[in-house]
Amino acid sequence: MKGALREKIYWQLPAWLWGLFIFALTSLPKLTPPSLGFELEDKVYHFIVYTVLGLLIARATVQGGRESLRSGIRRMLWISIPLSFIDEVHQAFIPGRFCDGLDALADILGLLLAAIIFVLWGSRLAEKDRSIYCNLVKCDT
């Protein structure tokens, strides 16, 4: 039981923490990130933050190659796309924030980039991550 909990923590905790970080940021009224010097800079932030979320959720669903990459990517999209919409709707209830369809589009594009990264390099990333995990807990696989 202890090993199963440690494994869940290793694979899932980063995605959960990043998701909570996003939720905390979007709960702040009048959040003003550093300026990038152009008009749609907040869309870039959405894109980057959700690319990272997508990578972490894909990592959690693939778990070092235990599951096929295609299935893991599909699960990542099924989990993360609704989260992006829920986050946008949630912002409509925060003073100083608003629900923006272009933000949701930037979120989804970031998630699609994460999926592309996993399609191209997912096997290699999963293999390296699995070897890191096995070095930490001395697993047999």
Side-chain angles (χ1 to χ4, degrees), residues 10-82:
Y10 179 79
W11 295 111
Q12 294 182 12
L13 186 62
W16 279 100
L17 289 176
W18 192 256
L20 288 172
F21 172 71
I22 291 171
F23 188 75
L25 283 180
T26 59
S27 296
L28 297 173
K30 300 178 183 164
L31 176 69
T32 52
S35 176
L36 298 175
F38 55 91
E39 192 173 322
L40 296 176
E41 61 195 19
D42 68 313
K43 306 312 178 241
V44 172
Y45 285 114
H46 279 265
F47 180 81
I48 292 169
V49 166
Y50 273 86
T51 298
V52 173
L53 180 65
L55 290 171
L56 291 173
I57 292 175
R59 174 187 177 270
T61 60
V62 171
Q63 294 189 1
R66 284 195 173 168
E67 192 175 322
S68 77
L69 287 177
R70 182 176 295 165
S71 175
I73 291 167
R74 190 177 314 118
R75 286 180 56 200
M76 178 272 288
L77 293 171
W78 276 105
I79 293 167
S80 56
I81 289 175

Side-chain angles (χ1 to χ4, degrees), residues 90-110:
H90 152 255
Q91 290 180 62
F93 299 99
I94 306 297
R97 304 299 301 256
F98 58 94
C99 183
D100 183 358
L102 290 178
D103 286 351
L105 178 62
D107 298 345
I108 291 170
L109 291 174

